Amino acid sequence: MTKKPSPRSRPKKQSKQPSPRLPALAMESLDPEQQAIVGAINSGPRGRFSNEGPFAVFLHAPVYGMLAQQLGGHLRFKTGVPPRLSEFAILCTGQYWKAQFEWHAHARIALKQGVKEATIRDLQADRAPKSAPGDEMAIYKFVKELYATKLVSNAAYARVHKLLGDSGTVELVGILGYYVLISMTLNVFRMPLPRGTPLPFREPAGK
């Protein structure tokens, strides 16, 4: 007689993403304002427009979408915050909001920019990344405190300010704010991951 696996040994069922709330727009049917977003992204530092995630949402409100993508391009590529720390902060934000697409996109980028794989695993599981270097831990404590209390203490501020200075600290807050915007956009409109991609976070029931 075959022994049934214990509950602990049974694989967890993968939660499913709900259906998106906005229709996908056909690229050949875009109006001039929508085409301008595509052209700006194709000619900018991102290099290629992808009709998914937040950019697919921006097409539905192209005047706003153009401004949003311009801000995002600046905050991702042109600040004084080192790319490794910027991507680390984006992951902290994506995890807090359980933004599936944001995590999917930026976990790979963070790894390429030098964030350790163990650190990424810890962040995804909502654990303090104890093996992360001191500069990442300063960002981590700043972000966690800001999201938990809506403020940061003098100690948390001083650690980040020592790393980034006046301008970089302002830009870090901008990066966090922009990726909160992206997280809300992805979650509200239920933007899906590419077909067959496992969800980084379990979807809440009934949402």
Side-chain angles (χ1 to χ4, degrees):
M1 182 176 178
T2 304
K3 186 178 178 181
K4 292 184 178 180
S6 67
R8 287 186 179 181
S9 65
R10 291 173 188 158
K12 292 181 180 179
K13 291 183 178 180
Q14 175 66 51
S15 60
K16 293 182 179 179
Q17 260 190 306
S19 298
R21 284 174 162 154
L22 289 173
L25 298 179
M27 298 296 290
E28 62 273 15
S29 301
L30 300 183
D31 66 26
E33 289 180 334
Q34 293 165 333
Q35 291 172 2
I37 293 179
V38 175
I41 291 175
N42 283 339
S43 62
R46 297 181 185 92
R48 182 180 65 87
F49 177 84
S50 179
N51 194 15
E52 57 185 1
F55 301 133
V57 177
F58 291 165
L59 290 180
H60 289 268
V63 175
Y64 155 74
M66 177 64 85
L67 294 170
Q69 76 82 19
Q70 287 172 340
L71 176 61
H74 176 83
L75 290 170
R76 184 174 164 197
F77 296 103
K78 297 180 180 180
T79 73
V81 181
R84 174 175 55 85
L85 297 183
S86 179
E87 291 298 328
F88 179 89
I90 293 168
L91 289 189
C92 289
T93 301
Q95 194 284 327
Y96 178 83
W97 283 88
K98 304 298 185 293
Q100 309 281 16
F101 193 96
E102 185 170 305
W103 185 275
H104 163 73
H106 284 274
R108 295 173 295 174
I109 299 170
L111 189 63
K112 290 179 181 178
Q113 293 295 343
V115 180
K116 296 177 185 175
E117 189 171 353
T119 295
I120 295 173
R121 286 199 303 268
D122 284 340
L123 291 178
Q124 185 175 3
D126 198 20
R127 296 189 298 261
K130 295 180 179 179
S131 65
D135 55 359
E136 290 177 8
M137 287 305 299
I139 299 292
Y140 177 79
K141 291 174 182 177
F142 183 99
V143 173
K144 294 290 281 188
E145 194 172 302
L146 178 58
Y147 290 165
T149 70
K150 302 177 179 65
L151 297 168
V152 292
S153 64
N154 287 338
Y157 180 86
R159 284 190 294 266
V160 166
H161 186 267
K162 185 177 180 180
L163 288 171
L164 302 177
D166 291 345
S167 178
T169 304
V170 171
E171 290 171 331
L172 173 65
V173 174
I175 290 166
L176 297 175
Y178 177 75
Y179 281 95
V180 167
L181 166 67
I182 293 299
S183 296
M184 291 192 295
T185 298
L186 294 168
N187 288 357
V188 167
F189 298 106
R190 297 174 174 171
M191 299 310 291
L193 297 182
R195 187 180 298 275
T197 303
L199 296 181
F201 310 108
R202 181 167 290 277
E203 286 283 338
K207 297 294 185 182

